[in-house]
Amino acid sequence: MAEPKDNLLMEKIVSLCKRRGFIYQSSEIYGGINGFWDYGPLGAELKRNVKELWWNDMIRQRDNVVGLEATIIMSPQIWKASGHVDTFSDPMIDCKTCKGRFRADQTNEIACPQKPSKMVSECHGEKTSPRAFNLMFQTYVGPVQDDSAIAYLRPETAQAIFAQFKNVLETSRQKVPFGIAQVGKAFRNEVTPRNYTFRSREFEQMELEFFIKPDEVVEAIESVKSSVSGVQPESSELKTENLKLETSANWGWREWHKYWVEERIAFYESIGLPRTTLEEYWQKPEELAHYAKACVDILFKFPFGTQELEGIAARSDFDLSQHERFSGKPMGVFDEELRAAWPKLDEARKTGLSRRYFEARLKYLTKMGVETAKAEEEAKEDAAGLAKGQYVPHVIEPSAGVDRLILALICNAYSEVTETDDKGKSETRVILKFHPRVAPIKVAVLPLLKNKHELVKKAQEVRDLLRPWMNVFYDDGGSIGRRYARQDEAGTPFCVTIDFDTLGEKPELKDTVTIRYRDDGKQERLAIGELLNWLLPKIR
Amino acid sequence: MAEPKDNLLMEKIVSLCKRRGFIYQSSEIYGGINGFWDYGPLGAELKRNVKELWWNDMIRQRDNVVGLEATIIMSPQIWKASGHVDTFSDPMIDCKTCKGRFRADQTNEIACPQKPSKMVSECHGEKTSPRAFNLMFQTYVGPVQDDSAIAYLRPETAQAIFAQFKNVLETSRQKVPFGIAQVGKAFRNEVTPRNYTFRSREFEQMELEFFIKPDEVVEAIESVKSSVSGVQPESSELKTENLKLETSANWGWREWHKYWVEERIAFYESIGLPRTTLEEYWQKPEELAHYAKACVDILFKFPFGTQELEGIAARSDFDLSQHERFSGKPMGVFDEELRAAWPKLDEARKTGLSRRYFEARLKYLTKMGVETAKAEEEAKEDAAGLAKGQYVPHVIEPSAGVDRLILALICNAYSEVTETDDKGKSETRVILKFHPRVAPIKVAVLPLLKNKHELVKKAQEVRDLLRPWMNVFYDDGGSIGRRYARQDEAGTPFCVTIDFDTLGEKPELKDTVTIRYRDDGKQERLAIGELLNWLLPKIR
């Protein structure tokens, strides 16, 4: 159980993040507010880059995923349907003596506020029995603060996607399988926020809900197809050609789930988290939620332990079904391919597929407390829909936390180098080895000297040449060595130095600059005219 | 007072936004939630583009502005300092008879819930006297819901910038004048949300706080400079050369305020709002907040009236001073140029500048209720700081609403065209004439026919060529005319059609495509190899 923890490293990272403006405590001048963190200038750029890369990878580079931007405050009915109102809670006990409130499962770890030498579980205070404490932040919408005005800050972005599923389906020219993705803030009133920004009360998520056909539907369509020989490839298959991995419109949940696990790991690798820093954890059957078919956690080896970056769950049709039942609005889709295939199935096949579909629906309805006779009737009706081409889509959900990814990128990038100068004095300094794609600053432009007008002017020309294409930092203050060191600490992959050779002191070097690499300090010479084309492919 | 309103146009816009997936009502399947709106696939892309363009224009293209991303929930002390806890409210009355609650200034406009033929002001219900209703959404942070746990959803993004001013100053290598910018959600529990997304309860802001030297400081430095002849241009002036308008580190508030008004209008023009759709409204002295020196509203001519897109305020040192007083943490800066200049001033100048600084500080402190003797003492101390190079920066605040800008862009883009076909049948359809920079989709790639494998294959090659660089929509469904019309309605500036000539039916046209322009339907022929370079400058 005991994992290696590197508290010293974590302290250094926290200190660097503050010192260089990656992360500050929220409201620091007022003593802070527990569980809330702000991103400073470098942190805000890093976070933007990551979110932009995710959006691009998940939506803009794909034909079959579209974006959504929903509100944080939604109808409270959504959280009843999702189960959050009833079950998104931690058990808490109150101490009648000290008036403290504690997580019931942490009384062995928390010191008594009145007698800190004892744990809460050992002290003499009279405790209540555990009660559920809901983790959703609650507020009131409108001028009257009564029960009908209660609303919640969303504890996840996913539910908005389910609630708008039909609107998106009807307005975006998509057909199942397709996905809806969203990036945005979510809030959980964690009793014990911890591990820096890893578990905070306000955080950001990047979630995709990828809607797929139930396996029964896939099998119905595929078994008809395979009985027809010599078919031409269909455009629905061609359509997905440009995805990095081949996909098929008629995959079952296992294929889609595996596909998204691989896609997501590939994404992490593409932004600079080596495969060796990641772990896959496949949840055991007994760990899964009752509606889930599988869930894989992608973990990163943080200095404080190996912890989850993202979960990729096969959630069946649970979410859409819940909203269908709670809103009374149909969440099913019509599938022409299924409707056309069904009559061509033999009777045994029809019965078998209907039976399986019926049983899955019955299991869900019963689990939700629907009375048996009614559940059987409903499940039967649902199964009868197959023949008409109707079903409620299933979903694969890759759900990632932005803030913990930012922290993982910083932890992974953190490295130290010790250098000894001519006088034998050695100094240890930090290099943040970000992948150029995520680095807050892509290139620093540095005139060798500040007080030489020609150097400054030329450097500013170079800055203005690059700036429309990437985030450029211009710096003319201090020795060139110190400026390099500052950029290393900010994670800037390239420095461009304008010196007297640039101005033509050595005629053969006129209008060339020095490019210095962050990771090894190596330098090379490049013509200004080639600079943009040299840099662009490296940072994209 | 009466403005021309175009309700029919507004209805058409609302309908289009829903139909094409720009904007949906939040939680629509549950009957919605008043004052909350979601962005669908096209709306989410449009909004991302606008925010990205603002971030790029305000931060990445400038040496003297940096970004911040702070939390929505902050220490409640921040809202005490800012005045929001005490004064951010509407006056409300309760009706003891019907239990309704109404804005006291709207009782003539709101019908009585029990007797809708009468207005609230005329009905017989017994009313309370008006009470202040705070517009901030309130919640509790942590497990105990008592007064010490109260927190608010931020009603604006600006205050986080002030609260983190010193952290940013100390970690970002900036000196006054410089700015901190932020984009993010804000919340106001409006009693009467209205005009579609224009005034909603959850919205997004793009705010810059640009910190400048007080005029007394500028005058001290400049009067010493002007007495020295033959000075070389300083690098601080050179540094700003690449800004679109020339700036100077030693401008007073009037110059900076004017500069930002012009910059912001130029921004709106650059994303497709013509100058003629905008108005400037300079607030009259009696309209200004007591601490403000000037405020300009930039208005857009919406179908429902001419309304504010952005306010650009010169807010003096009010905000930083308030946080200094409430947090007890110094918010002043040290200015080496001022410290060096001060001893060189003649005595009359020193006295005059100190006096003015003293009086401004005294006015502020007295207004804030600081007792006279104490206020005088403090103001004197503040003025004495000038000689040591110390002062609290003033601020210019361009503060824009994202959602109303999105609505302005859609209203401005909306146009209709009526076409008559060969059979004399005429049809009116919508074209959204977005500037290509903000358009959700930059280019649609369309194979002439869906069932010709070679056309589809070539079209997908073109899609994959463009996609890494821009948002591409691939569509092979329906007649080419219908597909063009769909893209016009989505605001896509260019369609690229792959036809048999592309495949070489006419050998001289092999590997060329048709480009169709959205706004006039004109078409031209272009080689695939030139496509990317032709498109890129048009969409950036």
Side-chain angles (χ1 to χ4, degrees), chain A residues 95 98-102 110-120 123 127:
Chain A
C95 176
C98 78
K99 310 289 178 203
R101 183 168 284 177
F102 312 96
I110 301 169
C112 166
Q114 291 195 338
K115 230 186 192 342
S117 62
K118 298 203 166 191
M119 292 294 132
V120 169
C123 75
K127 319 285 192 323

Short mmCIF file of all heavy atoms in Angstrom, two decimals, chain A residues 95 98-102 110-120 123 127:
data_model
loop_
_atom_site.label_atom_id
_atom_site.label_comp_id
_atom_site.label_asym_id
_atom_site.label_seq_id
_atom_site.Cartn_x
_atom_site.Cartn_y
_atom_site.Cartn_z
N CYS A 95 -19.36 16.94 16.61
CA CYS A 95 -19.00 16.79 18.01
C CYS A 95 -19.80 17.83 18.79
O CYS A 95 -19.67 19.02 18.56
CB CYS A 95 -17.50 17.01 18.22
SG CYS A 95 -17.06 16.96 19.96
N CYS A 98 -17.13 20.16 21.04
CA CYS A 98 -16.32 21.23 20.43
C CYS A 98 -17.02 21.87 19.25
O CYS A 98 -16.50 22.80 18.65
CB CYS A 98 -14.94 20.70 20.03
SG CYS A 98 -14.97 19.74 18.49
N LYS A 99 -18.18 21.39 18.85
CA LYS A 99 -18.95 21.91 17.72
C LYS A 99 -18.27 21.68 16.36
O LYS A 99 -18.66 22.27 15.36
CB LYS A 99 -19.28 23.41 17.87
CG LYS A 99 -19.88 23.82 19.21
CD LYS A 99 -21.28 23.31 19.35
CE LYS A 99 -21.85 23.69 20.73
NZ LYS A 99 -22.95 22.81 21.12
N GLY A 100 -17.22 20.87 16.36
CA GLY A 100 -16.54 20.58 15.09
C GLY A 100 -17.34 19.60 14.25
O GLY A 100 -18.20 18.87 14.76
N ARG A 101 -17.09 19.58 12.94
CA ARG A 101 -17.73 18.61 12.05
C ARG A 101 -16.62 17.88 11.28
O ARG A 101 -15.70 18.51 10.76
CB ARG A 101 -18.68 19.32 11.08
CG ARG A 101 -19.43 18.37 10.18
CD ARG A 101 -20.56 19.06 9.45
NE ARG A 101 -21.72 19.31 10.31
CZ ARG A 101 -22.82 19.96 9.90
NH1 ARG A 101 -22.90 20.44 8.68
NH2 ARG A 101 -23.83 20.14 10.72
N PHE A 102 -16.70 16.55 11.25
CA PHE A 102 -15.61 15.76 10.70
C PHE A 102 -16.11 14.66 9.78
O PHE A 102 -17.21 14.14 9.98
CB PHE A 102 -14.81 15.11 11.84
CG PHE A 102 -14.45 16.06 12.93
CD1 PHE A 102 -15.24 16.17 14.07
CD2 PHE A 102 -13.34 16.89 12.81
CE1 PHE A 102 -14.94 17.07 15.08
CE2 PHE A 102 -13.03 17.79 13.81
CZ PHE A 102 -13.83 17.89 14.95
N ILE A 110 -7.81 12.82 12.09
CA ILE A 110 -7.94 14.25 12.38
C ILE A 110 -7.82 14.47 13.89
O ILE A 110 -8.47 13.79 14.68
CB ILE A 110 -9.31 14.77 11.88
CG1 ILE A 110 -9.42 14.52 10.37
CG2 ILE A 110 -9.48 16.24 12.19
CD1 ILE A 110 -10.82 14.76 9.82
N ALA A 111 -6.99 15.47 14.26
CA ALA A 111 -6.78 15.75 15.68
C ALA A 111 -7.98 16.52 16.24
O ALA A 111 -8.59 17.33 15.55
CB ALA A 111 -5.51 16.58 15.86
N CYS A 112 -8.32 16.26 17.48
CA CYS A 112 -9.39 16.98 18.17
C CYS A 112 -8.98 18.45 18.28
O CYS A 112 -7.88 18.76 18.72
CB CYS A 112 -9.59 16.37 19.56
SG CYS A 112 -10.60 17.41 20.64
N PRO A 113 -9.87 19.37 17.89
CA PRO A 113 -9.50 20.79 17.94
C PRO A 113 -9.24 21.28 19.37
O PRO A 113 -8.43 22.18 19.56
CB PRO A 113 -10.74 21.50 17.35
CG PRO A 113 -11.50 20.45 16.61
CD PRO A 113 -11.20 19.17 17.30
N GLN A 114 -9.88 20.64 20.37
CA GLN A 114 -9.68 21.10 21.75
C GLN A 114 -8.51 20.38 22.42
O GLN A 114 -7.85 20.93 23.30
CB GLN A 114 -10.96 20.87 22.55
CG GLN A 114 -12.09 21.80 22.09
CD GLN A 114 -13.23 21.85 23.07
OE1 GLN A 114 -13.43 20.95 23.88
NE2 GLN A 114 -14.00 22.94 23.00
N LYS A 115 -8.25 19.17 22.02
CA LYS A 115 -7.18 18.36 22.63
C LYS A 115 -6.37 17.74 21.49
O LYS A 115 -6.53 16.57 21.16
CB LYS A 115 -7.81 17.24 23.47
CG LYS A 115 -7.26 17.12 24.88
CD LYS A 115 -7.87 15.89 25.53
CE LYS A 115 -7.72 15.70 26.99
NZ LYS A 115 -6.78 16.32 27.82
N PRO A 116 -5.52 18.56 20.86
CA PRO A 116 -4.86 18.09 19.63
C PRO A 116 -3.97 16.87 19.83
O PRO A 116 -3.54 16.26 18.85
CB PRO A 116 -4.04 19.30 19.18
CG PRO A 116 -4.66 20.48 19.87
CD PRO A 116 -5.17 19.95 21.17
N SER A 117 -3.69 16.50 21.08
CA SER A 117 -2.87 15.30 21.28
C SER A 117 -3.67 14.04 20.98
O SER A 117 -3.12 12.97 20.80
CB SER A 117 -2.37 15.26 22.74
OG SER A 117 -3.47 15.17 23.61
N LYS A 118 -4.99 14.18 20.93
CA LYS A 118 -5.83 13.01 20.62
C LYS A 118 -6.51 13.16 19.27
O LYS A 118 -6.79 14.27 18.83
CB LYS A 118 -6.92 12.86 21.70
CG LYS A 118 -6.33 12.61 23.08
CD LYS A 118 -7.32 11.92 23.97
CE LYS A 118 -6.55 11.41 25.20
NZ LYS A 118 -7.32 10.53 26.01
N MET A 119 -6.78 12.02 18.66
CA MET A 119 -7.56 12.03 17.44
C MET A 119 -9.04 12.20 17.81
O MET A 119 -9.43 11.90 18.94
CB MET A 119 -7.36 10.73 16.66
CG MET A 119 -5.95 10.57 16.10
SD MET A 119 -5.56 11.79 14.81
CE MET A 119 -3.95 12.36 15.37
N VAL A 120 -9.82 12.65 16.84
CA VAL A 120 -11.25 12.86 17.10
C VAL A 120 -11.91 11.58 17.60
O VAL A 120 -12.77 11.61 18.49
CB VAL A 120 -11.96 13.36 15.81
CG1 VAL A 120 -13.48 13.32 15.98
CG2 VAL A 120 -11.50 14.77 15.47
N CYS A 123 -11.13 11.24 21.49
CA CYS A 123 -11.39 12.29 22.47
C CYS A 123 -12.73 12.05 23.16
O CYS A 123 -13.51 11.18 22.75
CB CYS A 123 -11.36 13.67 21.83
SG CYS A 123 -12.82 14.06 20.84
N LYS A 127 -20.31 12.64 20.28
CA LYS A 127 -20.47 12.72 18.82
C LYS A 127 -21.88 12.30 18.38
O LYS A 127 -22.47 11.40 18.98
CB LYS A 127 -19.46 11.79 18.12
CG LYS A 127 -18.05 11.75 18.71
CD LYS A 127 -17.26 12.97 18.37
CE LYS A 127 -15.78 12.83 18.71
NZ LYS A 127 -15.40 12.10 19.91
#
